[in-house]
Amino acid sequence: MKKPSFDPGLTQQFTGSLRRAINKDGSFNVRRRGTSWRDTHPYLHMINMRWLPFLTVLFLLYLAVNTIFAAIYYGLGPGHLTGAEGTTAGDQFLNAFFFSAHTLTTVGYGSISPRGTAANLLAALEAMIGLMGFALATGLLFGRFSKPSARIGFSERLLLAPYQGGLSLQFRIVNLRDNVLMDLEARLLLMTVEGPPDQRSRRYHPLNLERDKVLFFPLTWTIVHPIDEGSPLYGKTPAEWEALQAEVLIQLKGYDDTFSQTVNVRHSYRYDEVVREARFSPSFHTDQAGDMVLHVDRVGVFERVEPQRVLEA
């Protein structure tokens, strides 16, 4: 039986040049088409939404609900809201809007109150919607705050650097947050496009690492792939890297001690993000008091080395 080829889930089919497989924010470069509203999960969408759009959506929903109920109160006609009388139609609508806000949030200042069966039923309905709505909003906020996530800073460039008499592919990472990450593990795949022009396909090659796991992660970690005879990058020129559309896919997995859960981070580097003849500059030092000082903003700082040294190293 023929052994199946390795596919990490990004397909081997080649249908055109790909900008990149994994975006800079860690998301996959896949645009979904053909879904319907039944396939959309509002809670999942709101949990994964960025903070500014999330707060904007909550505020717009709050305005929309109050505006709708204010329009209904206003449509009931004068006299259905005691204390909401105004000299103009605009004043009356604003009073109805503020009464709606008081009812929705169950504040109830008492300066405006419903009169009649219709207005009281509407106020009771709005109070129920307000209770359920704010319970959902509170759940969303708690879910967003309690959701474990890792903020790993990656060096902007992938370096081709000297390593033990040869060359290596290196990038550096740092924990951007104050939480404690332990048992951090790294896995790298090289994605290439190979084959004759009419039968091209994607291939995935695991990249062996000098060290694929660290127990503690309080400083930076320079992840190194030695380019030896067993490396798929051995002997490749920059032109060959570009022809292969080489992209290094990265998956990090670690244990978050704050949330007591496992977190995952994805990243990638393309062939045009590789800097040759360079090595990373130090990003931490020990001060006079004996404490280690980490410069988080220097995770991607590198220095050039002489080409001769790279070839000789």
Tab-separated table of all heavy atoms in Angstrom, residues 249-268:
chain	number	residue	atom	x	y	z
A	249	LEU	N	6.175	27.572	8.402
A	249	LEU	CA	4.975	27.596	9.235
A	249	LEU	C	5.347	27.210	10.657
A	249	LEU	O	6.061	26.219	10.871
A	249	LEU	CB	3.924	26.626	8.684
A	249	LEU	CG	3.623	26.737	7.182
A	249	LEU	CD1	2.580	25.700	6.788
A	249	LEU	CD2	3.152	28.131	6.824
A	250	ILE	N	4.861	27.976	11.618
A	250	ILE	CA	5.272	27.814	13.014
A	250	ILE	C	4.052	27.599	13.893
A	250	ILE	O	3.056	28.324	13.780
A	250	ILE	CB	6.036	29.061	13.502
A	250	ILE	CG1	7.250	29.322	12.607
A	250	ILE	CG2	6.460	28.921	14.955
A	250	ILE	CD1	7.774	30.728	12.730
A	251	GLN	N	4.148	26.619	14.762
A	251	GLN	CA	3.121	26.416	15.786
A	251	GLN	C	3.809	26.328	17.142
A	251	GLN	O	4.744	25.541	17.333
A	251	GLN	CB	2.320	25.137	15.551
A	251	GLN	CG	1.255	24.913	16.629
A	251	GLN	CD	0.466	23.635	16.426
A	251	GLN	OE1	0.642	22.938	15.440
A	251	GLN	NE2	-0.404	23.318	17.365
A	252	LEU	N	3.337	27.151	18.082
A	252	LEU	CA	3.835	27.133	19.454
A	252	LEU	C	2.718	26.668	20.376
A	252	LEU	O	1.562	27.068	20.219
A	252	LEU	CB	4.312	28.523	19.883
A	252	LEU	CG	5.421	29.177	19.054
A	252	LEU	CD1	5.698	30.580	19.566
A	252	LEU	CD2	6.686	28.342	19.081
A	253	LYS	N	3.068	25.843	21.326
A	253	LYS	CA	2.092	25.358	22.298
A	253	LYS	C	2.729	25.402	23.678
A	253	LYS	O	3.858	24.946	23.867
A	253	LYS	CB	1.648	23.929	21.964
A	253	LYS	CG	0.606	23.373	22.925
A	253	LYS	CD	0.092	22.019	22.454
A	253	LYS	CE	1.162	20.956	22.540
A	253	LYS	NZ	0.644	19.605	22.232
A	254	GLY	N	2.006	26.000	24.626
A	254	GLY	CA	2.538	26.099	25.972
A	254	GLY	C	1.432	26.053	27.010
A	254	GLY	O	0.238	26.098	26.686
A	255	TYR	N	1.837	25.989	28.249
A	255	TYR	CA	0.899	25.928	29.372
A	255	TYR	C	0.874	27.283	30.067
A	255	TYR	O	1.910	27.788	30.519
A	255	TYR	CB	1.319	24.831	30.351
A	255	TYR	CG	0.397	24.677	31.537
A	255	TYR	CD1	-0.812	24.006	31.415
A	255	TYR	CD2	0.744	25.205	32.781
A	255	TYR	CE1	-1.657	23.857	32.502
A	255	TYR	CE2	-0.088	25.057	33.873
A	255	TYR	CZ	-1.297	24.390	33.727
A	255	TYR	OH	-2.125	24.246	34.807
A	256	ASP	N	-0.324	27.882	30.120
A	256	ASP	CA	-0.503	29.170	30.781
A	256	ASP	C	-0.817	28.924	32.254
A	256	ASP	O	-1.871	28.383	32.590
A	256	ASP	CB	-1.648	29.935	30.105
A	256	ASP	CG	-1.762	31.373	30.596
A	256	ASP	OD1	-1.345	31.639	31.740
A	256	ASP	OD2	-2.261	32.220	29.843
A	257	ASP	N	0.114	29.336	33.123
A	257	ASP	CA	-0.051	29.073	34.555
A	257	ASP	C	-1.164	29.922	35.165
A	257	ASP	O	-1.736	29.548	36.188
A	257	ASP	CB	1.277	29.361	35.267
A	257	ASP	CG	1.259	28.899	36.708
A	257	ASP	OD1	0.967	27.716	36.938
A	257	ASP	OD2	1.539	29.725	37.600
A	258	THR	N	-1.492	31.062	34.548
A	258	THR	CA	-2.537	31.934	35.085
A	258	THR	C	-3.917	31.303	34.926
A	258	THR	O	-4.727	31.287	35.853
A	258	THR	CB	-2.508	33.301	34.396
A	258	THR	OG1	-1.211	33.879	34.545
A	258	THR	CG2	-3.560	34.227	34.973
A	259	PHE	N	-4.201	30.781	33.706
A	259	PHE	CA	-5.510	30.199	33.425
A	259	PHE	C	-5.516	28.687	33.583
A	259	PHE	O	-6.567	28.061	33.450
A	259	PHE	CB	-5.942	30.551	31.993
A	259	PHE	CG	-6.236	32.005	31.787
A	259	PHE	CD1	-5.273	32.862	31.274
A	259	PHE	CD2	-7.469	32.536	32.116
A	259	PHE	CE1	-5.547	34.206	31.081
A	259	PHE	CE2	-7.753	33.873	31.928
A	259	PHE	CZ	-6.785	34.720	31.413
A	260	SER	N	-4.340	28.093	33.833
A	260	SER	CA	-4.215	26.635	33.947
A	260	SER	C	-4.761	25.938	32.709
A	260	SER	O	-5.495	24.947	32.805
A	260	SER	CB	-4.937	26.125	35.212
A	260	SER	OG	-4.376	26.704	36.378
A	261	GLN	N	-4.411	26.484	31.544
A	261	GLN	CA	-4.863	25.919	30.282
A	261	GLN	C	-3.743	25.989	29.256
A	261	GLN	O	-2.797	26.779	29.386
A	261	GLN	CB	-6.103	26.650	29.751
A	261	GLN	CG	-7.344	26.489	30.613
A	261	GLN	CD	-8.582	27.016	29.921
A	261	GLN	OE1	-8.740	26.880	28.710
A	261	GLN	NE2	-9.461	27.631	30.688
A	262	THR	N	-3.880	25.179	28.230
A	262	THR	CA	-2.914	25.175	27.134
A	262	THR	C	-3.267	26.258	26.126
A	262	THR	O	-4.441	26.437	25.788
A	262	THR	CB	-2.899	23.804	26.438
A	262	THR	OG1	-2.536	22.800	27.394
A	262	THR	CG2	-1.902	23.786	25.291
A	263	VAL	N	-2.267	26.997	25.664
A	263	VAL	CA	-2.470	28.040	24.663
A	263	VAL	C	-1.658	27.693	23.417
A	263	VAL	O	-0.626	27.018	23.501
A	263	VAL	CB	-2.056	29.432	25.200
A	263	VAL	CG1	-2.983	29.879	26.306
A	263	VAL	CG2	-0.615	29.430	25.692
A	264	ASN	N	-2.157	28.141	22.264
A	264	ASN	CA	-1.509	27.883	20.987
A	264	ASN	C	-1.315	29.190	20.238
A	264	ASN	O	-2.171	30.074	20.288
A	264	ASN	CB	-2.351	26.928	20.135
A	264	ASN	CG	-2.440	25.539	20.740
A	264	ASN	OD1	-1.576	24.708	20.531
A	264	ASN	ND2	-3.501	25.296	21.503
A	265	VAL	N	-0.207	29.297	19.534
A	265	VAL	CA	0.109	30.481	18.740
A	265	VAL	C	0.637	30.012	17.385
A	265	VAL	O	1.410	29.040	17.317
A	265	VAL	CB	1.165	31.373	19.426
A	265	VAL	CG1	1.514	32.573	18.561
A	265	VAL	CG2	0.660	31.831	20.788
A	266	ARG	N	0.228	30.718	16.317
A	266	ARG	CA	0.695	30.399	14.970
A	266	ARG	C	1.390	31.617	14.362
A	266	ARG	O	1.040	32.765	14.659
A	266	ARG	CB	-0.469	29.971	14.076
A	266	ARG	CG	-1.123	28.674	14.487
A	266	ARG	CD	-2.349	28.399	13.650
A	266	ARG	NE	-3.361	29.439	13.820
A	266	ARG	CZ	-4.272	29.452	14.782
A	266	ARG	NH1	-4.287	28.480	15.678
A	266	ARG	NH2	-5.155	30.424	14.864
A	267	HIS	N	2.325	31.353	13.483
A	267	HIS	CA	3.053	32.415	12.800
A	267	HIS	C	3.698	31.809	11.560
A	267	HIS	O	3.739	30.582	11.400
A	267	HIS	CB	4.119	33.014	13.719
A	267	HIS	CG	4.637	34.342	13.260
A	267	HIS	ND1	3.925	35.515	13.378
A	267	HIS	CD2	5.811	34.693	12.677
A	267	HIS	CE1	4.619	36.517	12.908
A	267	HIS	NE2	5.778	36.045	12.466
A	268	SER	N	4.213	32.665	10.690
A	268	SER	CA	4.926	32.162	9.519
A	268	SER	C	5.883	33.221	8.995
A	268	SER	O	5.723	34.424	9.263
A	268	SER	CB	3.950	31.744	8.408
A	268	SER	OG	3.452	32.877	7.715
